[in-house]
Amino acid sequence: MKTLLALVLVGVSSFALADEVKTAAAQPVVEQYDYSTNLDIARVISLSTLPNVCEVVPATMTYEDHQGQRHTIEYRAMGDGCSQADHYRSLGCCSRARSACLRSTPQR
């Protein structure tokens, strides 16, 4: 009886382990982006939604390269909650230099 129980437990655990391996293989590897990363983007599949905060937050992009391979990268982006004054402050602009910031900063 103990032998039969041991065999059943081994069989069930091997199926559970096989299922975990399939799940891990199905999840894409998330690459960390930095400025030296060469990107080959043929088509953007998805972009993460940026939170409504005025700070740097993690973001992800999933894309397909020209060979048809899917990639997911994680990068840092400014949240969508900044006002124009916050934007100037993040650039280090004061009120006297605001016109200079306007000339050097691309407008949305």
Side-chain angles (χ1 to χ4, degrees), residues 46-96:
S46 67
L47 293 170
S48 62
T49 303
L50 295 176
N52 195 27
V53 297
C54 189
E55 60 188 46
V56 177
V57 295
T60 58
M61 175 176 67
T62 301
Y63 67 94
E64 190 174 277
D65 66 17
H66 287 89
Q67 287 74 40
Q69 299 275 329
R70 280 194 178 194
H71 301 270
T72 301
I73 60 169
E74 183 175 288
Y75 59 98
R76 310 285 289 163
M78 196 67 175
D80 279 342
C82 295
S83 68
Q84 192 170 15
D86 292 328
H87 177 69
Y88 289 127
R89 213 172 296 118
S90 71
L91 293 173
C93 299
C94 64
S95 59
R96 290 179 298 166

Side-chain angles (χ1 to χ4, degrees), residues 6-22:
L7 287 174
V8 169
L9 288 175
V10 168
V12 169
S13 65
S14 64
F15 284 121
L17 181 61
D19 189 43
E20 284 182 31
V21 170
K22 287 180 189 175

